[in-house]
Amino acid sequence: MNHIKIYQQSSVPYQNTELVLEGPVPPEQLRKYTMHPDLDAFRRPKEQFEALVEIAGLPEGRIILARHEEVIVGYVTFHYADELERWSEGGMLDLIELGAIEVANAYRGLGLGKKLIRLAFEDGQLENVITFTTEYYWHWDLESSGLTVWQYRDMMEKLMKSVDMVWFATDDPEICSHPANCLMVRIGKNVPLSSVEQFDRVRFRQRFMY
């Protein structure tokens, strides 16, 4: 499987300076940066930073980040699904998960999430894979955002639609456990039909449902 990684960079004005958006960032470059202390949605910032470095070093892994000088203020991760999750069961080399997306509180409202995700798809880098993301309401920062579950779901759905990801049905128990949870998918234009059919078998264990 050829995992295409073409470095991209752009900038966003911020106060009297600018933020740099870049990626995929290799681990040796990532090591030069530090993590903003507010990036703690998944782990403590130091531990999450080490996780980002590890992902960046994977053949399929990619880290797209926003930084203020040398401080990471937002990021998006792409990697294979965890081996304990259903999405790894098909052994698909061309099925990539858009995993974590996080932006530090002080840098929200700049559209960084959308810009980071779009950067990841520049130059057709992900046209040979199926990209998916699982949205679970218990991961959402409802407290800081002040949004309801349904408002946050709508925000996340619009974010994913900005790179042509669409809602896909599944019988996965975790996604089905709450109506706000969802599976969003983008099938690259160079993905073979055999992979699409295999993904259908992964999405549904009860085959009569599709």
Side-chain angles (χ1 to χ4, degrees), residues 12-208:
V12 176
Y14 180 74
Q15 297 178 356
N16 295 323
T17 179
E18 65 178 20
L19 306 179
V20 174
L21 280 58
E22 61 179 345
V25 180
E28 59 273 15
Q29 181 68 26
L30 201 52
R31 284 282 186 196
K32 298 177 182 179
Y33 306 147
T34 58
M35 201 78 152
H36 193 285
D38 284 350
L39 296 175
D40 59 359
F42 301 96
R43 300 179 182 87
R44 293 175 180 174
K46 184 177 180 181
E47 294 170 354
Q48 184 65 0
F49 178 73
E50 292 302 323
L52 297 187
V53 172
E54 181 179 351
I55 292 169
L58 297 172
E60 85 287 357
R62 60 187 72 217
I63 301 297
I64 316 297
L65 61 83
R67 59 182 172 85
H68 191 186
E69 296 179 347
E70 305 303 301
V71 178
I72 299 170
V73 299
Y75 64 86
V76 181
T77 69
F78 292 81
H79 47 73
Y80 283 140
D82 187 284
E83 60 183 13
L84 299 178
E85 296 182 347
R86 112 158 17 190
W87 313 106
S88 67
E89 291 177 2
M92 298 180 62
L93 298 179
D94 54 0
L95 180 61
I96 300 295
E97 180 174 8
L98 193 171
I101 176 168
E102 188 177 11
V103 175
N105 292 347
Y107 298 85
R108 294 180 181 176
L110 301 173
L112 291 183
K114 182 180 293 185
K115 290 179 172 65
L116 288 172
I117 291 176
R118 284 180 170 173
L119 197 71
F121 287 87
E122 288 287 329
D123 278 353
Q125 295 182 70
L126 293 164
E127 292 298 344
N128 64 340
V129 300
I130 299 173
T131 307
F132 80 97
T133 187
T134 51
E135 293 299 330
Y136 303 120
Y137 82 92
W138 50 80
H139 286 162
W140 298 341
D141 188 3
L142 301 176
E143 183 177 351
S144 295
S145 68
L147 301 176
T148 67
V149 166
W150 293 106
Q151 287 171 330
Y152 209 106
R153 155 69 185 269
D154 183 60
M155 179 182 71
M156 293 304 295
E157 196 163 341
K158 288 178 179 176
L159 175 62
M160 299 307 167
K161 283 181 177 178
S162 72
V163 288
D164 300 322
M165 299 185 81
V166 298
W167 180 89
F168 268 50
T170 179
D171 63 1
D172 177 70
E174 280 199 285
I175 290 177
C176 294
S177 68
H178 191 281
N181 296 343
C182 67
L183 171 68
M184 302 285 289
V185 179
R186 181 186 186 276
I187 298 175
K189 64 183 181 182
N190 298 325
V191 173
L193 179 59
S194 58
S195 291
V196 177
E197 292 172 341
Q198 176 66 9
F199 182 57
D200 286 340
R201 290 189 286 271
V202 172
R203 287 193 296 132
F204 290 107
R205 286 180 175 159
Q206 304 298 324
R207 296 189 63 184
F208 65 88

